[in-house]
Amino acid sequence: MKNILKEIIVAILTWEAKLVLKKYKPRIVAVTGSVGKTSTKDAIFTILSHFYFVRKSEKSFNSEIGVPLTILGCPTGWNNPLLWLKNIYEGLALILLPNVYPKWLVLEVGADRPGDIESITEWIKPDISVITRLSKVPVHVEFFENAAAVYREKAFLVKALKRDGILVLNSDDEDVLAFREYYDGATLLFGTAGTADIIGTNLATIFEDKLGTQNPAGVSFDVSHGDEKGVVEIHGGLGAQQMYPVLAGIAVARSQSLDLSKIISAVKKHHTSRGRMKIIAGLKNTTIIDDSYNSSPVALQEALATLKHIHTEGRKIAVLGDMLEIGTYTTDEHKKAGEFAGTFLSKLFTVGVRARSIAEGALIAGMSEGNILQFEDAQKAGKELELLLKEGDLVLVKGSQGIRMEKVVEE
């Protein structure tokens, strides 16, 4: 009964969303990929909203129900029938009454299962489609035949582009570049190599003094497009994970012939996404890299690489939880992450049954068993970490949503 009601609500909201798009004709930027969708969506919104009236998907509203809710400007009703009725009413009001509506929509579009993006693109035709990064082992791959099947699902967002649309691709990812075969219109590439149109180089960590200790505070990088150049600073987040979403946002803005210097000024208002390589001041003058929102093999490797290459006066510690929904890759990918982590960490905390393979990998890499602590519960791991923290420590916290690694951050 509950599933039937959900299907009815989705059908009504989708019908309303279609009519809203037909009435107000906003320009649509649609974002997909295996890594960095939400951060990219947020960066595009920050930049475009400096110039236009823009609405974005809230949090990770990227599903069959999240996309219509974004178009209607409504929150989720959770399990409250009255809230869903209110959403339906507000959708009707948008259709029947005069309203001021955004000129641009920035929509995150995800693929949890086969057919997810295909069904959405039956009625959404983007003006700009952005592909962030793909992964050989994507999250949700257990619901697909293989990684190639995930790529094919993502490709529907490219095929759905309007005839005069623009395709924005991460040129540092060969699998993303291959999406050019699905579209013969205008394409803009962003990346760190000369093949890109929007090029980011010289990525560096920004440090700030706190109680006599140099703590990481953000990143800076050079950006260029043709003869135009500038320097971008992003405070509150770390790693290339902050650069790529902003490069995508710059590419979208440049596709509208906006001035690069003004775009860079807009980036100053950008707030790094919660739980995505976000810098948080920890207890005892420590620094936490909060990457607790979700995890996948490629995202975990990048997070660990960022931690490895940041200079710190204290120890480097990682608290790593299970990676979920990666099917037959589970054991190998956890072990591979552990083998990398074990080469440079001072201490490793693992959370969850699957993450035991991370501990195993770290041992294989030569990490001392006494520096590896294993837990089943995130909060307990957080409490133990709190006791062991020392001034100047740099701590990475990462795991899939279901492991609730934000509890470690809270502790």
Side-chain angles (χ1 to χ4, degrees):
M1 184 65 178
K2 188 176 180 180
N3 286 335
I4 294 173
L5 286 173
K6 179 186 175 183
E7 289 177 9
I8 292 171
I9 289 170
V10 170
I12 294 171
L13 294 177
T14 301
W15 173 75
E16 290 182 338
K18 290 177 183 178
L19 291 178
V20 166
L21 293 181
K22 187 174 181 180
K23 177 179 178 181
Y24 296 99
K25 296 179 174 56
R27 304 199 70 187
I28 295 173
V29 182
V31 181
T32 197
S34 299
V35 179
K37 293 188 296 295
T38 300
S39 297
T40 300
K41 173 256 301 179
D42 290 343
I44 294 169
F45 171 81
T46 297
I47 294 170
L48 286 186
S49 60
H50 188 76
F51 304 94
Y52 309 107
F53 179 19
V54 187
R55 175 184 294 158
K56 68 173 179 176
S57 303
E58 291 302 322
K59 300 180 180 178
S60 292
F61 272 20
N62 61 21
S63 63
E64 62 176 357
I65 197 163
V67 171
L69 285 174
T70 299
I71 293 169
L72 300 176
C74 294
T76 178
W78 298 109
N79 294 317
N80 189 329
L82 293 178
L83 289 179
W84 287 114
L85 286 172
K86 182 174 181 288
N87 286 342
I88 292 170
Y89 171 79
E90 289 185 4
L92 288 172
L94 266 179
I95 296 164
L96 299 174
L97 303 174
N99 282 275
V100 177
Y101 193 81
K103 299 297 182 185
W104 285 81
L105 295 175
V106 184
L107 305 177
E108 180 180 336
V109 184
D112 292 344
R113 287 172 171 77
D116 282 354
I117 294 180
E118 182 180 12
S119 63
I120 287 174
T121 54
E122 287 176 357
W123 59 279
I124 289 209
K125 305 300 175 186
D127 296 274
I128 302 173
S129 286
V130 181
I131 314 297
T132 59
R133 181 170 177 179
L134 298 172
S135 171
K136 300 298 183 186
V137 187
V139 178
H140 312 306
V141 72
E142 67 176 338
F143 301 115
F144 291 83
E145 183 181 351
N146 49 38
V150 179
Y151 301 169
R152 288 194 294 272
E153 188 65 33
K154 305 282 186 185
F156 281 107
L157 203 66
V158 178
K159 297 174 184 177
L161 267 169
K162 293 178 180 175
R163 284 184 175 273
D164 59 347
I166 298 169
L167 178 60
V168 176
L169 300 176
N170 177 355
S171 62
D172 287 353
D173 187 322
E174 292 181 359
D175 293 318
V176 171
L177 266 183
F179 278 44
R180 286 184 293 188
E181 70 179 86
Y182 298 110
Y183 187 64
D184 58 6
T187 302
L188 264 179
L189 306 179
F190 66 92
T192 59
T195 54
D197 300 296
I198 314 298
I199 303 175
T201 56
N202 300 320
L203 177 68
T205 303
I206 299 170
F207 289 89
E208 291 180 354
D209 183 84
K210 183 181 177 185
L211 301 176
T213 302
Q214 290 293 308
N215 293 327
V219 296
S220 67
F221 59 91
D222 298 332
V223 63
S224 63
H225 183 204
D227 294 331
E228 294 189 60
K229 296 179 168 70
V231 178
V232 174
E233 288 192 1
I234 304 169
H235 290 266
L238 290 172
Q241 298 91 322
Q242 310 301 335
M243 179 177 69
Y244 281 99
V246 170
L247 287 176
I250 293 172
V252 170
R254 289 294 281 173
S255 76
Q256 303 306 301
S257 301
L258 298 172
D259 181 78
L260 183 60
S261 62
K262 292 180 180 177
I263 294 169
I264 291 173
S265 293
V267 175
K268 293 177 182 178
K269 297 181 179 179
H270 179 55
H271 297 287
T272 55
S273 304
R274 183 178 180 181
R276 295 168 176 87
M277 297 300 288
K278 193 170 185 67
I279 299 168
I280 296 177
L283 298 171
K284 306 176 187 177
N285 193 20
T286 60
T287 301
I288 300 169
I289 306 173
D290 178 10
D291 204 25
S292 62
Y293 177 75
N294 211 346
S295 190
S296 67
V298 67
L300 177 54
Q301 287 288 338
E302 290 214 352
L304 286 169
T306 298
L307 179 64
K308 179 178 180 178
H309 293 112
I310 293 176
H311 171 74
T312 178
E313 297 172 15
R315 301 173 299 174
K316 292 181 179 179
I317 300 170
V319 189
L320 308 177
D322 288 354
M323 290 185 284
L324 305 178
E325 299 179 354
I326 57 174
T328 57
Y329 299 95
T330 297
T331 300
D332 287 345
E333 292 301 323
H334 283 84
K335 189 181 294 185
K336 189 187 300 182
E339 289 177 3
F340 179 37
T343 62
F344 70 92
L345 289 179
S346 299
K347 285 193 177 293
L348 169 65
F349 291 64
T350 68
V351 181
V353 175
R354 298 166 186 81
R356 292 174 185 169
S357 295
I358 298 177
E360 183 182 344
L363 287 170
I364 292 171
M367 192 172 186
S368 166
E369 187 174 354
N371 289 324
I372 302 172
L373 295 88
Q374 301 182 61
F375 299 86
E376 301 303 314
D377 177 79
Q379 193 163 18
K380 289 180 180 177
K383 288 183 182 297
E384 184 67 21
L385 174 62
E386 180 185 347
L387 296 173
L388 295 178
L389 280 177
K390 295 179 181 179
E391 183 174 357
D393 285 348
L394 182 60
V395 183
L396 170 69
V397 182
K398 188 167 185 63
S400 285
Q401 286 181 346
I403 308 303
R404 302 298 303 276
M405 296 299 285
E406 74 277 6
K407 292 182 178 181
V408 175
V409 177
E410 289 168 5
E411 288 295 336

